[in-house]
Amino acid sequence: MTDMPTLAATLRATSEMLKTVRNMVVQSGHLHEMLDIDTLVNVAQVEAERRAVIMEVTSSRRQISPRDDRVP
């Protein structure tokens, strides 16, 4: 079985790919004609990053839960 990346890592990679797509649109010189697409890609990029942060914060809170019975 292969090691699968975490969902947060997948979301971060997705955000980076979407950032690349946005840069390609800008560099193409057709931003005005593709403004609707650029806007949608931006929304997807921001949402992927937002969810990655939520997942990481939630995961780190679980690791330091005050209800944890383990003794350090």
Side-chain angles (χ1 to χ4, degrees), residues 6-59:
T6 64
L7 180 54
T10 302
L11 287 165
R12 289 227 184 260
T14 300
S15 177
E16 285 301 313
M17 285 186 246
L18 291 166
K19 184 177 179 179
T20 300
V21 170
R22 292 194 70 220
N23 286 333
M24 289 173 58
V25 169
V26 169
Q27 292 173 4
S28 74
H30 301 290
L31 180 59
H32 182 70
E33 295 86 353
M34 297 181 67
L35 190 56
D36 292 344
I37 292 170
D38 180 62
T39 301
L40 291 171
V41 172
N42 183 47
V43 169
Q45 178 189 354
V46 169
E47 183 64 12
E49 186 65 26
R50 184 185 75 82
R51 289 185 184 208
V53 168
I54 290 169
M55 302 236 21
E56 290 167 352
V57 167
T58 302
S59 176

Side-chain angles (χ1 to χ4, degrees), residues 61-71:
R61 284 186 181 162
R62 283 189 199 135
Q63 291 174 2
I64 58 171
S65 173
R67 293 179 277 170
D68 194 346
D69 292 335
R70 293 177 288 168
V71 177

